Amino acid sequence: MPHKSHIFGVVGLGNFGSTVATELMRFGNSVIAVDVNERAVGLHADKVTEALIVDARDEEALREAGFGECYGAVIAIANDIESSILAAMNLKLIGVKTIWAKAVSKTHHRILSRIGVDRVIHPQVDIGQYVAQVLNNPLIRDYVSLGNGYHVVNFRVPDSLEGHSLSEIKSISRHDLRCIGVMRGTEFVGSGADGCVLQSDDLLLLLGERKKLSDFAASL
C-alpha cells in the first residue's frame, strides 16, 4: 500500500471533484473517489485507484471505503449542504488529517469552518477573482493568493524596465514589494541576481500585498 501521505479521498464526482481526483492521480497519488451516483462512479472507475458508490453521510461506509487510510480528503459536494456537513463530520471522526471542502454560501462556509474543515473553497468566486485580477492589469500574467492579503504575481516586464537591473528598480522596494526572482523562458533566475539585466520577455515574480502590487503596476 502507498504511504499514507500519498493517499487521498474525494467525495463527489461532479466536474470539480472529478478534476481534483484525476489531477491527484496524474501527480502520482492514490485516490479513493466516492459518489452516490452509479453513473458518475462508473465513468471514473478506470481513472482513479478506486471508485465506489458510497453515501458520505454514513461514517462506517466511508471507513469501509478506505478513507481512514487517507492523509487528505476533498468534499466536492456542495449543493446538498446537509450531506456536505455530515461528510465533513464523518471524515473528522475517521481521523482524516487534512480536509478541504467546497461551499456554496457564507453560511455553509461558516459551518464547515466551525466543524474543523481546514480549507473551504468557493471555486466560482475564486476563478472570478482570478479572471478580474488578470484582466484588470495586462502586465499580470498569473498570480497566487497566499492569504492575509498577500499575493505572488507573475509580472511581465514592461518596456520602461527593459535594460534595467533589479538593483536599479527602486520602485519595487519603495512599494514594499519583494522580488522573488525572474523567469526567462523556462529558466529561473534567483532573487540574488540583482545584476540581472531585464529583457522584454522576462517575468518578474513579485511578492506583496494586493494594493501595493496594484500601485506598483500603476506607477509604470
Side-chain angles (χ1 to χ4, degrees):
M1 178 174 288
H3 190 276
K4 190 170 182 176
S5 64
H6 296 289
I7 305 175
F8 293 91
V10 176
V11 177
L13 285 169
N15 290 333
F16 176 68
S18 61
T19 300
V20 172
T22 53
E23 285 297 293
L24 284 170
M25 286 291 295
R26 189 169 68 85
F27 293 141
N29 300 288
S30 292
V31 177
I32 303 168
V34 300
D35 199 296
V36 293
N37 186 293
E38 182 178 355
R39 183 173 181 276
V41 171
L43 286 172
H44 296 87
D46 60 349
K47 299 178 182 177
V48 296
T49 310
E50 283 192 90
L52 305 167
I53 302 170
V54 171
D55 186 342
R57 296 174 299 180
D58 185 336
E59 177 191 342
E60 191 56 37
L62 285 174
R63 287 185 187 275
E64 291 178 2
F67 274 71
E69 298 300 318
C70 294
Y71 168 81
V74 176
I75 302 168
I77 50 175
N79 292 332
D80 185 345
I81 294 177
E82 179 184 350
S83 293
S84 167
I85 293 167
L86 288 173
M89 293 174 64
N90 286 335
L91 291 173
K92 293 292 290 183
L93 289 171
I94 289 170
V96 177
K97 182 175 176 59
T98 303
I99 303 171
W100 288 30
K102 178 182 175 182
V104 292
S105 67
K106 289 183 179 179
T107 300
H108 188 191
H109 184 136
R110 190 177 301 116
I111 294 170
L112 290 170
S113 296
R114 289 283 178 85
I115 61 178
V117 169
D118 297 282
R119 182 160 179 178
V120 182
I121 314 155
H122 298 264
Q124 288 150 329
V125 174
D126 293 342
I127 195 63
Q129 291 174 340
Y130 174 89
V131 169
Q133 176 81 347
V134 174
L135 284 175
N136 179 63
N137 193 319
L139 292 177
I140 294 177
R141 293 297 181 86
D142 203 355
Y143 84 97
V144 175
S145 174
L146 302 180
N148 295 324
Y150 282 85
H151 296 73
V152 173
V153 170
N154 207 344
F155 196 90
R156 184 177 64 80
V157 171
D159 293 341
S160 61
L161 297 184
E162 187 179 354
H164 292 270
S165 68
L166 288 178
S167 59
E168 293 175 331
I169 307 172
K170 304 301 182 184
S171 54
I172 292 178
S173 58
R174 188 166 64 244
H175 285 89
D176 199 21
L177 303 177
R178 178 183 173 189
C179 181
I180 299 172
V182 177
M183 287 299 299
R184 179 166 294 161
T186 57
E187 180 187 0
F188 174 71
V189 182
S191 58
D194 284 347
C196 169
V197 176
L198 296 175
Q199 300 176 7
S200 60
D201 292 331
D202 287 347
L203 294 172
L204 287 173
L205 302 181
L206 299 179
L207 167 65
E209 295 179 55
R210 182 173 179 174
K211 176 66 167 59
K212 293 176 181 178
L213 287 162
S214 296
D215 289 344
F216 172 71
S219 72
L220 302 174

